[in-house]
Amino acid sequence: MAQVPLTFLDALAVRTWCGGALRALGRAREEIDAINVYPVADGDTGTNLYLTMESAAAAVEAVFAGYGTGTGRPSLADAVRAMAHGALIGARGNSGTILAQLLRGMSQVLAGSEGDAGRVDGVRLRLALRHAADSAREAVAHPVEGTVLTVASAAARAAETAGEDCGAVARAAHEGARTALAETPGQLAVLGRAGVVDAGGRGLVAVLGALVEAVTGETVEDTAVAAEGGAAEGGSVAGGAVVPAAVPVEACPESAEPGGPAYEVIYLLEAGDAAVARLRERLDALGDSLVVVGGDGLWNVHVHVDDAGAAVEAGVEAGRPYRIRITHFAAGDVHTGGEPPARERVQRAVVAVVPGEGLAGLYAEAGATTVLARPGEPPASGELAQALRRAHAREVVLLPNDAELRHTAAAAAEQARAEGIRVALIPTRSAVQGIAALAVHEPGRRFDEDVVQMTSAAGATRHAEVVVAERQSWTTAGICQAGDVLGLIDGDVAVIGPDLTATAETVLDRMLQAGGELVTLVVGDETPEEVADRLESRVRESYLAVDTVVYRGGRQGSLLLIGVE
């Protein structure tokens, strides 16, 4: 009998795995959301896992794109590190944060073990699965059995005797996870009462199934394992996972336990190990469902608390928190049996992508649901679609505030429309155009009229930004050198100069040559205070009929955003 060649894991397989896992989670998203009852039955575990994996897959694709169309390709270490970093910065919710740590744990083993051929065998994959399960368990303040942690540990145990072939290891891990998932209702009472398997564990089974496909090329049946004993009375089976009839997807209860914390707080944090250790202790005393993942100075923090402000303040004391997300679990929506009341939709809402924390606060004060875009890390379509759902409105106006997000925003809008939400996409190219649109927004008038007025206000606002060149390059204004200050008007480089204030003044003068009534300045964290003061003085002295308003944008990528209406 001919010997079957061993299978290995390399960078291309990691890319295939991430793409396959994203598709598998996309197919299972609604099913997983429907069985989400622990730790909070907010019906978003499937969505959070999908968004986390989407960020991981996008990071891996970016690494491959960096090699262009040449014959080279990234190393296995490059691919798995990108996967882990993408998952870390894109992690959503309790389940997504744990998935991020599982991927990070695997990457720590795989990145340091590829041989001369740029690949690893099943022995290393077994070690990676074990380290992933252990590190995820360590990241959770109070591990609970019957959750994704149990499923991950079972997968690692099952893989330990699978030999040196990556395919055999992946198959064993997947089957071990499926078996453990079926047992979760008997380990966690809330699952047993609802007659469902653990939602996070169900997602991990999908991810491991994609790993089998990536390594072996085999097709894995994309269904979950039913809870032992079958469906609970009155329940049904969806894709193999038991779904209770009393918990429809669109009306999931907001809190699994009476008297639970009121808020979910998530943020990225730049801090050292010692500061994070103290942060864990403080947050553990404030609430529950604490998960802190990451390392090397960058962490993702997730906790459920009653005092959201205290949780954020603890992050400020530990380091620099950003991408802060606070979700309120609606009081009184505790599931006690029977069908919980659905939260009533508002008629109209605005969803906006904003480049910095300062603008996020400004937009939120104006009533908009915001999606924060970190410099160099634009939101994916799934994140925008989730924000459209989170607005919980029949009609939504979407402001992408970036020309590069046009197609991403359009895809998110189509997804929301398919779910029955009326969405109007206004093609704002800058946050200052979004500010102008939001200023004329009136929820009380007809939707079409409101969209027309907002579109008109955005279109009447010229936009500019002032940035620092990172490298030498050709521009529409000539050749710039690294460190030069660039002034971009309506997306094109119009001014190149050595001085920030002088360049900003030249940009502002050029914009006001065509007239204007209001100048909006959005100042970044790294911009000296005197720049805004100087520009305000220039407008006051040289353009008598023009008003100026200044906002603090936070860490927004650009030194300065300028809008002229």
Side-chain angles (χ1 to χ4, degrees):
M1 179 182 296
Q3 185 175 2
V4 178
L6 295 178
T7 56
F8 297 89
L9 188 70
D10 60 9
L12 187 58
V14 170
R15 182 189 196 183
T16 304
W17 174 30
C18 289
L22 182 62
R23 290 188 293 273
L25 289 172
R27 291 190 295 267
R29 181 183 64 80
E30 291 186 0
E31 171 201 324
I32 296 173
D33 283 345
I35 63 173
N36 169 204
V37 297
Y38 182 85
V40 175
D42 48 2
D44 65 357
T45 288
T47 299
N48 287 337
L49 288 169
Y50 178 85
L51 293 175
T52 303
M53 199 69 227
E54 185 179 44
S55 183
V60 174
E61 288 299 323
V63 168
F64 272 84
Y67 281 76
T69 58
T71 57
R73 73 172 51 163
S75 66
L76 173 63
D78 291 336
V80 294
R81 284 172 181 150
M83 173 185 72
H85 180 72
L88 178 66
I89 65 173
R92 300 291 190 277
N94 184 280
S95 55
T97 307
I98 293 174
L99 175 61
Q101 187 67 357
L102 288 167
L103 297 179
R104 175 180 170 81
M106 291 189 69
S107 75
Q108 288 174 322
V109 173
L110 298 176
S113 58
E114 64 179 327
D116 293 337
R119 62 189 189 183
V120 297
D121 61 11
V123 175
R124 280 293 176 181
L125 182 56
R126 289 203 313 263
L127 294 174
L129 289 165
R130 167 49 59 196
H131 184 63
D134 292 346
S135 60
R137 190 171 286 270
E138 291 169 2
V140 177
H142 302 285
V144 175
E145 298 305 325
T147 65
V148 62
L149 298 176
T150 304
V151 176
S153 295
R157 281 196 305 274
E160 286 172 352
T161 58
E164 299 182 6
D165 178 55
C166 270
V169 171
R171 289 190 205 96
H174 179 242
E175 190 55 39
R178 281 171 55 88
T179 300
L181 178 64
E183 297 170 354
T184 56
Q187 297 171 301
L188 192 56
V190 66
L191 301 179
R193 289 195 299 270
V196 298
V197 295
D198 178 66
R202 165 66 179 100
L204 181 57
V205 168
V207 171
L208 291 174
L211 178 60
V212 174
E213 293 184 352
V215 174
T216 68
E218 302 170 358
T219 299
V220 176
E221 186 179 2
D222 190 23
T223 57
V225 179
E228 287 192 340
E233 184 177 352
S236 63
V237 176
V242 181
V243 182
V247 190
V249 178
E250 293 300 323
C252 278
E254 297 286 346
S255 177
E257 300 294 337
Y263 297 95
E264 177 186 58
V265 178
I266 306 172
Y267 49 81
L268 291 178
L269 177 71
E270 293 178 354
D273 291 0
V276 170
R278 294 190 295 271
L279 175 66
R280 288 179 192 269
E281 294 180 2
R282 182 168 177 186
L283 292 180
D284 192 27
L286 285 175
D288 59 30
S289 297
L290 173 61
V291 186
V292 181
V293 305
D296 302 320
L298 180 62
W299 309 81
N300 192 304
V301 179
H302 170 281
V303 68
H304 294 174
V305 293
D306 281 320
D307 189 344
V312 174
E313 288 173 8
V316 172
E317 292 182 6
R320 192 182 76 83
Y322 58 97
R323 277 198 178 182
I324 300 167
R325 298 180 184 87
I326 300 174
T327 303
H328 180 248
F329 299 132
D333 282 353
V334 179
H335 181 53
T336 57
E339 185 170 327
R343 184 160 58 98
E344 186 173 352
R345 291 181 179 273
V346 298
Q347 182 61 32
R348 191 174 308 159
V350 176
V351 171
V353 180
V354 291
E357 295 89 345
L359 281 181
L362 173 68
Y363 272 77
E365 287 176 8
T369 297
T370 61
V371 178
L372 189 61
R374 190 183 184 193
E377 297 169 1
S381 62
E383 185 173 0
L384 294 185
Q386 176 67 356
L388 292 171
R389 298 185 197 101
R390 195 170 71 244
H392 211 70
R394 298 181 183 89
E395 304 166 338
V396 182
V397 179
L398 177 57
L399 306 174
N401 291 340
D402 186 339
E404 298 297 324
L405 288 178
R406 183 176 69 257
H407 297 302
T408 301
E414 283 302 315
Q415 185 175 342
R417 289 177 188 130
E419 297 171 11
I421 304 172
R422 189 181 184 189
V423 181
L425 171 59
I426 298 178
T428 49
R429 303 176 65 191
S430 170
V432 291
Q433 288 188 322
I435 291 173
L438 199 56
V440 300
H441 169 54
E442 291 186 13
R445 65 185 163 204
R446 288 178 54 247
F447 185 60
D448 291 340
E449 293 178 0
D450 198 30
V451 171
V452 168
Q453 292 299 319
M454 294 177 72
T455 302
S456 178
T461 303
R462 300 192 69 193
H463 63 92
E465 61 178 321
V466 179
V467 300
V468 175
E470 296 181 355
R471 64 185 67 86
Q472 182 188 59
S473 61
W474 289 89
T475 76
T476 52
I479 300 175
C480 72
Q481 306 295 328
D484 282 348
V485 181
L486 308 181
L488 291 80
I489 299 177
D490 294 334
D492 294 323
V493 176
V495 182
I496 301 175
D499 179 73
L500 171 58
T501 302
T503 302
E505 287 182 332
T506 302
V507 168
L508 185 57
D509 285 339
R510 291 194 184 184
M511 294 180 75
L512 286 172
Q513 283 175 358
E517 298 176 356
L518 175 65
V519 171
T520 300
L521 303 175
V522 183
V523 184
D525 272 352
E526 298 178 0
T527 305
E529 292 283 342
E530 59 268 20
V531 173
D533 294 339
R534 178 70 192 112
L535 294 177
E536 278 191 284
S537 297
R538 187 171 189 83
V539 172
R540 187 168 54 249
E541 295 166 1
S542 303
Y543 304 95
L544 301 181
V546 180
D547 294 324
T548 305
V549 60
V550 179
Y551 299 113
R552 302 296 165 183
R555 191 168 179 261
Q556 62 185 24
S558 301
L559 295 172
L560 182 69
L561 298 176
I562 304 174
V564 174
E565 300 179 45

